[in-house]
Amino acid sequence: MLKATLDLLESRQGEGVRMSDIAKRAGISRQALYLHFATRAELLIATTHYLDALKGTEARLAPSRAAATGIERLDAFVVAWGGYIPEIHPIARALLAMGASDAAAAQAWDQRMRDMREGCAAAIDALDRDGTLSPDHPPDEATDILRTLLSVRNWEHLTIDCGWSQVRYVETLKSLARRLFVASN
């Protein structure tokens, strides 16, 4: 079911993906699908977690979580999330497109962004604990700014619209994050 959902979201870019379409692709009845997932939102959220498992998100985040300093954690999180965006971009684009008129898709994307914000908060909190967080932004504000910098829409603009390479994107965001959030000596 989750693979069928992911396949349909990616191939149709979110257009017209109904529970009946997913059930048909999965080879089950729509009623059987609803036995596993009471709502479309539950299914879409589960699909984003399935994608994370396929792409090895936990392993990608391990360097950030194991970082010895706040600066290392910030750098590692920017690298992990910045490198992940191109891999999840098809489903992100689908959920964002659907979200304007589909509450379940909007809920699934909002959950994804809450999860990503937790990673941003962990990086900023590590800087704060180390005493290296810039006094220019309190932790909550710094977390919001980092989450905005690392948004899929910003990635799209810089890499797709402006033609930046993925390497340039990650290195620039890492440099910006350090300049914004690490206190000057």
Side-chain angles (χ1 to χ4, degrees), residues 3 21 26 31 34-35 52 62 65 94 110 152 162 179 185:
K3 181 173 181 353
D21 299 324
Q31 291 77 15
Y34 277 109
L35 288 174
D52 288 345
R65 292 174 176 156
D110 289 346
V152 170
C162 297
R179 281 187 265 156
N185 290 336

Side-chain angles (χ1 to χ4, degrees), residues 100-183:
S101 61
D102 183 327
Q107 186 178 353
W109 186 250
D110 289 346
Q111 180 61 51
R112 166 63 42 209
M113 291 299 93
R114 281 191 297 277
D115 294 344
M116 191 270 264
R117 189 183 188 285
E118 286 179 17
C120 292
I124 296 298
D125 289 346
L127 290 171
D128 196 29
R129 274 192 309 277
D130 287 355
T132 56
L133 179 64
S134 170
D136 295 341
H137 305 287
D140 282 347
E141 186 178 291
T143 297
D144 292 339
I145 294 168
L146 181 57
R147 187 224 170 271
T148 301
L149 284 173
L150 293 173
S151 74
V152 170
R153 296 282 193 212
N154 285 340
W155 176 87
E156 286 175 332
H157 177 69
L158 292 172
T159 62
I160 296 170
D161 299 341
C162 297
W164 287 23
S165 71
Q166 181 62 25
V167 169
R168 181 175 179 202
Y169 167 79
V170 169
E171 289 305 312
T172 299
L173 270 285
K174 215 165 66 170
S175 174
L176 280 172
R178 276 185 176 223
R179 281 187 265 156
L180 280 169
F181 306 123
V182 177

